Amino acid sequence: MAALDGKKILVIATNYGVEQDEIVVPTDQLRERGADVTVAAQESGSIETLVGDKDPGKSVSVDTTIGSVSGAGDYDALVVPGGTINADTIRQDSDAVALVKAFAEAGKPVAAICHGPWTLIEAGVLQGRTITSFPSLQTDVRNAGAEWVDKEVQVDGGLVTSRNPDDLPAFVDAIEQALTA
């Protein structure tokens, strides 16, 4: 039996501009650990990833659209990958922001990496929390009422955050721990 058998995880992203490894690695590794992972994007079809916000990456199949997800009730955790373009776009999507807020309010794990915490800021779920992110978000995080730390992974209650693709092993392990604790 795999550690995450029976766990359902939702990954939300835009259809263009997601940092390749920040969606591919968690999705693949969480599935390998037994989770049922659903990838939701703004539109059906596929997600065109980027490497370093500039070079074309792999295409990722979309399972559903963000707008058609009924809420946090059908899932055990939410993952928000980074990529500057993705994060800046997704934080302007009211359905995506509502999902982040719903997961946080339900006390379910919300994991965000790199620029992904911009969506947590937009959802207003950081007050009094300690998180990490890509370093350029430090001021945004502090202005949202949170403490920013420079660590490969930071867990604060149900929030799991990491800085960049180099932190993915610790990020995925922390998601698993949040779901099995």
Side-chain angles (χ1 to χ4, degrees), residues 17-20 22-23 53 80-87 112-116:
V18 181
E19 182 65 32
Q20 174 185 279
E22 293 174 8
I23 190 167
D53 279 341
V80 183
T84 310
I85 296 167
N86 173 65
I113 188 167
C114 198
H115 288 79

Side-chain angles (χ1 to χ4, degrees), residues 35-55:
D36 176 6
V37 180
T38 299
V39 176
Q42 291 175 305
E43 299 174 10
S44 58
S46 64
I47 295 169
E48 300 308 315
T49 68
L50 295 174
V51 177
D53 279 341
K54 61 184 186 301
D55 297 323

Side-chain angles (χ1 to χ4, degrees), residues 14-122:
T14 57
N15 291 84
Y16 175 78
V18 181
E19 182 65 32
Q20 174 185 279
D21 287 351
E22 293 174 8
I23 190 167
V24 171
V25 171
T27 298
D28 289 352
Q29 289 188 4
L30 292 166
R31 284 177 176 152
E32 288 169 9
R33 296 175 191 205
D36 176 6
V37 180
T38 299
V39 176
Q42 291 175 305
E43 299 174 10
S44 58
S46 64
I47 295 169
E48 300 308 315
T49 68
L50 295 174
V51 177
D53 279 341
K54 61 184 186 301
D55 297 323
K58 297 178 181 177
S59 290
V60 174
S61 295
V62 172
D63 300 310
T64 190
T65 61
I66 293 169
S68 66
V69 174
S70 61
D74 294 335
Y75 299 94
D76 299 299
L78 176 67
V79 176
V80 183
T84 310
I85 296 167
N86 173 65
D88 193 44
T89 303
I90 202 87
R91 71 178 172 161
Q92 298 174 63
D93 182 315
S94 59
D95 290 329
V97 172
L99 282 171
V100 170
K101 191 170 189 145
F103 274 84
E105 287 176 350
K108 295 183 177 187
V110 176
I113 188 167
C114 198
H115 288 79
W118 266 339
T119 311
L120 307 182
I121 292 167
E122 196 65 34

Side-chain angles (χ1 to χ4, degrees), residues 6 8 22 24 28 32 35 62 98 109 112 117 128 134 137 155 160 180:
K8 294 178 74 176
E22 293 174 8
V24 171
D28 289 352
E32 288 169 9
V62 172
F134 194 75
L137 274 64
V155 178
V160 176
T180 57

Side-chain angles (χ1 to χ4, degrees), residues 156-177:
D156 184 335
L159 296 181
V160 176
T161 52
S162 285
R163 302 170 299 193
N164 59 54
D166 293 339
D167 299 337
L168 281 164
F171 182 67
V172 175
D173 285 347
I175 295 168
E176 178 181 327
Q177 290 168 5

